[in-house]
Amino acid sequence: MAKKFNLKMSNQKELQSLVKVESVYNIDYDELNIDGKEKEELIKYENDITFHREKSMQHIFKFSRAIYEANSVFSKKGNGNFGKWIEKIGIDRDSANVAIRRYGLYLEAETKGIEKPQKVLSLPNRTIKVLTGQKKSEFSEAEVIEVINAENSSGKLKEIEEKKEAVKLSDTEEKKAFLLKEKIRKQHLIKKLQNEIREIDEELTKIE
């Protein structure tokens, strides 16, 4: 069973009091040549963005969990009616599929002991699809954790994919070189056998 998801969020009064105190992200506004009223406004926007982003994460979590668990109910029935059900509540199948995969990856992240499994909730859809799709077996557990924990998950995934592609290309080039050598060796062998056959034919002609 998944652990109870808990994102700490300040209430609006706490946010309002923070606005006049300091930057949530320790931003040096002097360095950005911002002060006075503009600085206060930007710190307020920092708090607003943080509050609503965390609220969004809660919604994504609950949305994904609900679809994941609904799919589990239909899976037990084995009647393939989940698609019909999801369409009746106005959700396209791709969105439902991503939500199921996202929550499944979140559960895996918890199992693997990742410090912040909730980071799975903010991963781009493509990242979710790659890590949970047909190519899933191509990624080691360490690589999956690395992508989830990365500040730029898309960039990290691209970096890992490019390294794997480079290895494949290297292996392909090595295989190609080996096969070309084998082809030449076989061609020499064929030529040698043809010469031997011709010599045998000549000997047979002399006997006749």
Side-chain angles (χ1 to χ4, degrees):
M1 182 179 292
K3 298 177 183 177
K4 185 177 180 181
F5 186 75
N6 181 27
L7 281 174
K8 295 181 180 178
M9 295 191 301
S10 304
N11 58 39
Q12 290 288 1
K13 290 184 178 179
E14 290 175 329
L15 289 175
Q16 290 171 0
S17 65
L18 283 171
V19 167
K20 297 181 180 180
V21 180
E22 60 184 6
S23 166
V24 177
Y25 302 99
N26 297 318
I27 297 173
D28 185 351
Y29 282 100
D30 291 334
E31 183 182 317
L32 301 177
N33 197 27
I34 300 289
D35 59 14
K37 186 177 180 180
E38 289 180 335
K39 177 179 177 180
E40 290 184 6
E41 287 179 351
L42 288 170
I43 292 177
K44 175 184 179 300
Y45 298 147
E46 279 186 53
N47 282 275
D48 287 346
I49 290 169
T50 301
F51 176 83
H52 292 293
R53 180 167 55 191
E54 291 179 347
K55 196 73 173 176
S56 295
M57 289 303 100
Q58 277 199 338
H59 291 321
I60 291 172
F61 173 80
K62 292 178 180 179
F63 174 83
S64 300
R65 182 179 62 185
I67 293 179
Y68 178 93
E69 293 180 348
N71 182 56
S72 296
V73 171
F74 281 98
S75 294
K76 292 175 184 176
K77 289 288 184 181
N79 54 21
N81 285 331
F82 174 71
K84 295 179 182 178
W85 180 80
I86 210 71
E87 287 179 359
K88 287 183 181 295
I89 59 178
I91 299 174
D92 63 89
R93 296 197 181 197
D94 186 63
S95 296
N97 181 46
V98 171
I100 292 168
R101 293 186 182 199
R102 188 181 300 279
Y103 188 73
L105 187 59
Y106 169 80
L107 293 179
E108 287 183 27
E110 279 195 326
T111 303
K112 290 178 172 63
I114 294 178
E115 186 177 350
K116 295 181 178 180
Q118 65 267 29
K119 293 189 73 173
V120 171
L121 304 177
S122 60
L123 294 179
N125 287 356
R126 179 187 177 276
T127 302
I128 293 292
K129 289 179 178 180
V130 172
L131 294 180
T132 59
Q134 293 181 346
K135 295 184 177 180
K136 178 180 179 179
S137 60
E138 296 181 11
F139 297 90
S140 67
E141 182 176 309
E143 288 172 333
V144 173
I145 292 174
E146 193 175 2
V147 171
I148 293 173
N149 285 333
E151 287 296 324
N152 181 356
S153 58
S154 294
K156 177 56 66 175
L157 178 60
K158 182 179 179 181
E159 177 187 323
I160 292 173
E161 286 180 314
E162 288 177 347
K163 285 181 181 178
K164 289 182 179 297
E165 193 60 35
V167 170
K168 284 182 181 178
L169 182 60
S170 174
D171 290 344
T172 299
E173 290 299 320
E174 288 181 11
K175 185 175 181 180
K176 183 178 179 180
F178 169 77
L179 290 174
L180 285 173
K181 288 180 181 178
E182 280 295 291
K183 179 181 178 181
I184 293 172
R185 188 178 72 82
K186 298 288 186 181
Q187 286 174 335
H188 284 308
L189 182 59
I190 291 172
K191 189 173 182 180
K192 181 182 178 182
L193 290 172
Q194 286 174 334
N195 289 334
E196 290 179 356
I197 291 171
R198 186 172 59 254
E199 290 175 359
I200 292 173
D201 285 339
E202 289 176 355
E203 289 296 320
L204 284 172
T205 302
K206 289 178 182 180
I207 294 173
E208 292 174 357

